[in-house]
């Protein structure tokens, strides 16, 4: 697990220093105006150099890419991320599931389970935060967020 050090930058925002298991070191500065700056630590001169500056929207796009919302490696079919009580799971909908060809609203996903479908991925198309009218079709991979018990309830509805 990487080491992350967080510090306030008065009048600027927050700074995160990250040391990865691979030995890389980087700094992320999140400005109060939404900009993000990425810095790479160079060992030879013991300084950090700005590698990239991104807007808030660009940063969120990159976060989605890094977080696996648009592409999930084949080896991670049942990946699960746990953040305290929050879990994010990928669930591939089969042909014989009861939830197939029904909308999120029809299934009353959030009301009945407390879980949220935060993305729906089908072939080359990714829909972030699909609404209640979104129809769940066979072969779609749903990205589900919630507590473990809520996700289990959602899976039972979809089975």
């Amino acid at each position: 697990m990487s080491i992350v050090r967080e510090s306030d930058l008065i009048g600027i925002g927050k700074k995160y220093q990250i040391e990865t298991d691979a030995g890389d070191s980087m700094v992320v500065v999140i400005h109060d105006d939404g900009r993000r700056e990425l810095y790479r630590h160079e060992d030879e001169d013991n300084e950090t150099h700005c590698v990239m500056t991104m807007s808030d929207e660009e940063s969120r796009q990159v976060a989605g890419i890094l977080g696996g919302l648009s592409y999930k490696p084949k080896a991670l079919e049942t990946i699960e991320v746990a953040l305290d009580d929050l879990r994010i799971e990928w669930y591939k909908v089969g042909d014989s599931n009861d939830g197939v060809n029904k909308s999120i609203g029809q299934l009353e996903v959030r009301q009945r389970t407390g879980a949220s479908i935060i993305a729906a991925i089908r072939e080359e198309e990714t829909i972030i935060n699909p609404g209640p009218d979104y129809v769940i079709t066979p072969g779609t991979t749903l990205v589900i967020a919630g507590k473990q018990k809520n996700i289990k309830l959602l899976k039972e509805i979809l089975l």
Side-chain angles (χ1 to χ4, degrees), residues 16-35:
Y16 298 88
Q17 292 176 270
I18 303 163
E19 294 176 23
T20 68
D21 290 340
D24 293 318
S25 179
M26 70 181 280
V27 174
V28 177
V29 176
I30 302 177
H31 290 261
D32 290 335
D33 66 4
R35 283 180 300 126

Side-chain angles (χ1 to χ4, degrees), residues 89-105:
E89 291 188 21
W90 280 254
Y91 178 78
K92 189 161 187 168
V93 179
D95 293 335
S96 62
N97 291 60
D98 286 343
V100 168
N101 299 319
K102 294 180 183 171
S103 71
I104 292 173

